[in-house]
Amino acid sequence: MEQFKVLLLNRNNRVLGEYGVSTGGVSGTVVDIKLILAAALLCCASAIILGHNYPSGNTQPSTVDKAMTKRVREAAAQMDIAVLDHIILTVDTFYSFADDGELQPEDR
């Protein structure tokens, strides 16, 4: 099953908590940006890290992943919450939007 979670961080990037956004099927899950931001605001998070798994083992982000990450970043920026990374996990490896340059340092 694909799961989408968010790490909620304080100003020192210490983990305040983890929020399970959704659990879907073998090929996808629904991500509600309002729920992500509500969780971040309720714990006064200064930053978040997005993460989900790919049961298929493929780590390349889909166009939907890229668009959703952009939308979350834009919405979070309005509340002064930084999106530090979006990580895609598989059993053997991972993909990091930040490591691959998908999140520019000046935007984080």
Side-chain angles (χ1 to χ4, degrees), residues 87-106:
I87 300 169
I88 299 171
L89 300 167
T90 69
V91 172
D92 298 318
T93 189
F94 71 96
Y95 174 89
S96 164
F97 277 67
D99 287 353
D100 203 45
E102 293 285 332
L103 301 176
Q104 297 301 317
E106 62 271 7

Side-chain angles (χ1 to χ4, degrees), residues 32-103:
D32 190 330
I33 295 170
K34 292 181 294 292
L35 294 177
I36 293 171
L37 296 178
L41 290 170
L42 283 172
C43 72
C44 297
S46 295
I48 59 176
I49 297 174
L50 310 172
H52 72 285
N53 66 315
Y54 267 180
S56 68
N58 177 19
T59 58
Q60 289 306 305
S62 68
T63 54
V64 172
D65 291 333
K66 290 179 181 183
M68 182 273 305
T69 302
K70 181 179 178 185
R71 289 179 52 223
V72 172
R73 289 176 70 212
E74 289 170 351
Q78 294 298 313
M79 292 172 239
D80 198 27
I81 299 170
V83 176
L84 300 180
D85 204 350
H86 181 173
I87 300 169
I88 299 171
L89 300 167
T90 69
V91 172
D92 298 318
T93 189
F94 71 96
Y95 174 89
S96 164
F97 277 67
D99 287 353
D100 203 45
E102 293 285 332
L103 301 176

